[in-house]
Amino acid sequence: MTPSAPPVKSVEAFQRDLEPTIITARNELVTAENFMAYKNNYSIAAYMEDGKNVYSFHSRMFFFTELDTDRIRDTYNKHLLPLGFELSEDRWTSGGVEIVDYLWTHEEYHAVVSATTRLGEQTSTYYYTVGNPSDGSNGDPTQLIDQPGRIPDWFDPNLPPAGQG
């Protein structure tokens, strides 16, 4: 008999248990001084999988000018590895530009934190979950739990998203 994977944590548990630390790390990296643009908004999508309602959390993507990949990796590692995230790194060249892609994944929460740097140009970062159940603690699982810092104090919601300016 093979051991089964632990049950997937709820979308609400992700927001309570992991998201505050992800936000703290992201806000150390993305500041008013280095922010360039954003794409998308925060949302939780609902869908059916194997006859059950499941949910996926998606954060806003921030583009910023930090190009020190060691600083990006070390900042996220400091916050995420103690929570049980695992880091994978990939590097390649596209159009003569070196790309460094970091993914921190957490199996129990089906969570991913991504930071991709186009060296000499910009870095983007966002986080998401896929296929999480609801624990019912929030009433409507597609409603975001109020999270301090999710939208940084310096962020201007009147700015148009990237590509729509």
Side-chain angles (χ1 to χ4, degrees), residues 25 29 56 104 123:
L29 292 167
S56 292
W104 289 266
T123 296

Side-chain angles (χ1 to χ4, degrees), residues 7-77:
V8 177
K9 301 281 188 177
S10 71
V11 69
E12 296 92 348
F14 165 77
Q15 291 176 84
R16 286 190 306 267
D17 301 346
L18 301 184
E19 190 186 16
T21 303
I22 296 168
I23 289 168
T24 297
R26 190 223 34 225
N27 288 349
E28 282 183 29
L29 292 167
V30 183
T31 65
E33 291 73 35
N34 69 13
F35 169 76
M36 295 172 62
Y38 75 96
K39 196 164 105 175
N40 304 324
N41 284 312
Y42 295 90
S43 65
I44 300 174
Y47 56 98
M48 295 289 283
E49 187 174 273
D50 297 330
K52 295 182 179 138
N53 287 324
V54 291
Y55 304 88
S56 292
F57 178 104
H58 296 275
S59 79
R60 172 174 286 144
M61 179 183 287
F62 286 94
F63 297 92
F64 58 113
T65 59
E66 178 62 66
L67 302 176
D68 181 345
T69 55
D70 291 339
R71 179 173 183 268
I72 294 164
R73 182 195 61 232
D74 294 348
T75 299
Y76 272 127
N77 276 349

Side-chain angles (χ1 to χ4, degrees), residues 22-163:
I22 296 168
I23 289 168
T24 297
R26 190 223 34 225
N27 288 349
E28 282 183 29
L29 292 167
V30 183
T31 65
E33 291 73 35
N34 69 13
F35 169 76
M36 295 172 62
Y38 75 96
K39 196 164 105 175
N40 304 324
N41 284 312
Y42 295 90
S43 65
I44 300 174
Y47 56 98
M48 295 289 283
E49 187 174 273
D50 297 330
K52 295 182 179 138
N53 287 324
V54 291
Y55 304 88
S56 292
F57 178 104
H58 296 275
S59 79
R60 172 174 286 144
M61 179 183 287
F62 286 94
F63 297 92
F64 58 113
T65 59
E66 178 62 66
L67 302 176
D68 181 345
T69 55
D70 291 339
R71 179 173 183 268
I72 294 164
R73 182 195 61 232
D74 294 348
T75 299
Y76 272 127
N77 276 349
K78 173 179 72 176
H79 292 283
L80 300 182
L81 296 182
L83 296 177
F85 279 87
E86 294 181 13
L87 170 63
S88 62
E89 177 181 338
D90 197 14
R91 292 174 181 260
W92 71 93
T93 302
S94 174
V97 176
E98 184 178 0
I99 312 288
V100 180
D101 188 34
Y102 294 118
L103 288 177
W104 289 266
T105 57
H106 198 297
E107 185 179 349
E108 253 188 303
Y109 289 86
H110 283 197
V112 176
V113 177
S114 170
T116 303
T117 302
R118 294 180 58 83
L119 291 177
E121 294 181 15
Q122 68 184 15
T123 296
S124 64
T125 190
Y126 66 102
Y127 54 96
Y128 62 93
T129 69
V130 177
N132 302 73
S134 170
D135 62 20
S137 65
N138 197 30
D140 178 357
T142 63
Q143 287 298 114
L144 296 165
I145 295 171
D146 187 29
Q147 205 65 274
R150 182 185 284 143
I151 298 174
D153 293 339
W154 52 262
F155 182 77
D156 180 355
N158 297 315
L159 289 171

